[in-house]
Every structure is written in C-alpha cells, then in structure tokens.
C-alpha cells in the first residue's frame, strides 16, 4: 500500500486517483485515462470530494492506495493569493452534503448531450467549479468535465514525489480507529434528507438557512432533524477518541507510554498551530448562527450557534495544549545528541 505525502501538498491542490472498482475502470476506459476521481485538498490532511454519498470531507491519513494505483497531484501553474485559495476551499466546504449526480457524471464520460448543469455534484465538476468560483477557468466547461480534463489542463502542473509507502501496521492502526468524519457525513446526510422532504431545492446545509428564513414555521422540524441525526454531538466522539489532544497531562502520559512518538507529537502540535483556518471557520459559523438566532428567535439557529461555541472552545483547548507541550519540550529539542 501507499499514501500521499502531506509535506508535498498545499491547500487548493487537486488530487487525481484511480481505483480497482468497476465504476473506476469504466470511467478510465471511456475517457481513455489512467485516472477516474478528483479531490480537493482543503486543509492539512483534509480532503473534500464528491462520491455516491455526496460531497463530504475525508482524512488524508486514512487514504491508502494499492501500489499500482495511479496518483496525480496538480497545482496551479502560477502561485495563487491566499484570498483566491480561500475562495476555492470555501466553495467546496459550502457544498458539503450536496447530492451526487450520477447522470451528469455519466454524460461527461459518455460525451453525450448535456443540459445546463444542475446544483448536484460529481468529483471533477466540484474541483473545476471551485476554481471557477474564484475566477480561474481550469477547463472550458466547469459544469461538465472529467478528471482527465483536469489532468490535461494547461493551467495546472503536476507535483512530483507525492507518494510514500504505507506499512501494514499503519493501515491497520487507522482501520481500527473510529472515523468521526464518517459519523459526521452520515449525520449531515440525515439532516439533509429530512430537509429535502420539505423542499427538493435544498442541496447543502447552507440552503437550510435560506429555506428556514423563508419558512420559519419549519423551525421545529429542522431543529429535530439536527438533534436526531447526531450532528450536534459528533464532537463527543472525537473528544472520546482523541482526548489527549485537549489536555497537556494526557499528552505527557502518551509520550511516557511511547517515547518514540515524541517527533510525531511535535509535528502534530506545529501543524495545528500553523493552521488558523480551523478556528476561523468555527468562529465565522458561530457568529453567523448567533446573529440569525438573535434576529429570528428560531431554535434551529440557536442550537447551531451553541454547537459552534462548543467547537470554538474545544479548538482553543487543543491550541493551548499544543503550545504548552511545545514550550515544555523546547529544551529537549535543543539538547545535543
């Protein structure tokens, strides 16, 4: 097995892969390509893509590929500003939960007649539309393009040396570890399924905001959708799984049990402190939902504001623990030998 090297990637990169499944083989055969899927790198170790389950996040650390799988990482030919990259990543994040359009994806593969694109997504459309949203045309038609169209775009260049070997122990470790992103994806889909019973125009979670403002009488239904789905409590799974990230004492205990993990702990702390986007997103969502709750008095907005207040506090706990650990171990790193 092999994996991608996060040290070679930058936010906004597009990652193309192939897979062993029948759909992947059909896409590659019909597009005369070695690749069949596209993902957008949105944060350290975080990807967003469109699959049959919709648009959701995944963890790069859990992405293991067969040795013979094709992997291509692409980056814009000229360096892009932080604002442009932020627009790209904001677009794909805002699409979270959007349904997958198998029909439109197959229209690209089969090169059949195409109508105006819907708001549903498929993998290469998501990547191309994200860049188009930021004012960058990677392909002639962002609504209908294949992974191969992205690969051959003159605006993108391939990043070399992005692969690393993955040990059996590493694969087994992540397979045995609870995946809270899967739980979040399932909860998101459950919320949207309930919301779409009221309006089939709803695609993403952001669409619920506009619908609720226009139909405040649906407040109870949508609040209960969030509550019953588990969306409001997924953070508890993460806290139970990785409690050491939030407390210096638990970080110390983890290294005492396994001193060889000190370099990885330092890498984790530095990556966390070097990524301001996590805290920024929580704060933006908190302030947005708080303003909506105060303005409308709707309980759905209130519980979402409370959720993001909790996530902000938890993120701050992680930041403070990481800073403390780095400060405490600065002397050890400076010792010779």
């Amino acid at each position: 097995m092999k994996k991608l090297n996060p040290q070679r990637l930058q936010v906004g990169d597009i990652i193309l892969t192939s897979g062993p499944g029948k759909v992947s083989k059909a896409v590659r055969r019909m597009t005369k390509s070695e690749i069949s899927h596209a993902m957008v790198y949105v944060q350290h170790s975080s990807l967003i893509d469109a699959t049959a389950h919709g648009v959701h996040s995944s963890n790069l650390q859990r992405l293991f590929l067969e040795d013979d799988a094709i992997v291509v990482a692409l980056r814009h030919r000229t360096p892009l500003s932080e604002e442009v990259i932020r627009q790209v990543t904001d677009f794909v994040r805002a699409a979270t939960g959007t349904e997958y359009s198998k029909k439109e994806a197959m229209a690209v593969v089969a090169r059949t007649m195409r109508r105006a694109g819907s708001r549903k997504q498929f993998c290469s459309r998501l990547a191309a539309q994200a860049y188009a949203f930021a004012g960058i045309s990677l392909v002639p038609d962002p609504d209908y393009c294949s992974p191969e169209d992205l690969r051959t775009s003159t605006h993108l260049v391939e990043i070399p040396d992005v692969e690393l070997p993955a040990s059996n122990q590493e694969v087994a470790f992540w397979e045995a570890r609870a995946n809270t992103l899967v739980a979040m994806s399932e909860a998101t889909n459950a919320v949207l399924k309930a919301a779409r019973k009221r309006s089939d125009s709803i695609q993403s979670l952001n669409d619920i905001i506009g619908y609720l403002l226009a139909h405040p009488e649906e407040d109870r239904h949508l609040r209960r959708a969030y509550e019953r789905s588990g969306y409001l409590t997924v953070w508890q799974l993460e806290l139970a799984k990785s409690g050491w990230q939030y407390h210096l004492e638990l970080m110390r205990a983890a290294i005492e049990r396994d001193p060889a993990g000190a370099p990885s702990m330092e890498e984790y702390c530095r990556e966390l402190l070097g990524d301001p986007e996590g805290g920024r997103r929580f704060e933006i969502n908190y302030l947005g939902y708080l303003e909506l709750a105060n303005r409308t008095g709707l309980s759905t907005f209130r519980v979402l504001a409370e959720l993001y207040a909790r996530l902000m506090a938890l993120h701050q706990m992680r930041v403070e623990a990481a800073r403390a650990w780095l400060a405490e171990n600065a002397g050890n790193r400076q010792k010779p030998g």
Side-chain angles (χ1 to χ4, degrees), residues 225-239:
Y226 275 104
E227 292 170 343
R228 291 173 173 174
S229 69
Y231 186 92
L232 303 176
T233 55
V234 170
W235 64 269
Q236 295 176 359
L237 301 177
E238 182 64 28
L239 186 61

Side-chain angles (χ1 to χ4, degrees), residues 191-202:
V191 171
L192 287 166
K193 181 179 180 180
R196 289 168 186 150
K197 289 181 179 179
R198 295 300 200 258
S199 173
D200 58 11
S201 67
I202 294 174

Side-chain angles (χ1 to χ4, degrees), residues 124-184:
S124 43
R125 169 188 282 181
L126 179 65
Q129 286 186 344
Y131 272 85
F133 176 76
I136 298 175
S137 298
L138 299 180
V139 294
D141 187 354
D143 292 343
Y144 288 97
C145 61
S146 69
E148 180 64 18
D149 293 331
L150 293 171
R151 182 178 186 176
T152 57
S153 170
T154 58
H155 301 281
L156 299 170
V157 294
E158 185 172 344
I159 307 161
D161 305 321
V162 295
E163 299 177 10
L164 290 174
S167 66
N168 291 335
Q169 292 83 355
E170 185 177 6
V171 175
F173 171 82
W174 285 108
E175 287 181 346
R177 192 176 175 85
N179 191 342
T180 54
L181 285 179
V182 170
M184 177 56 78

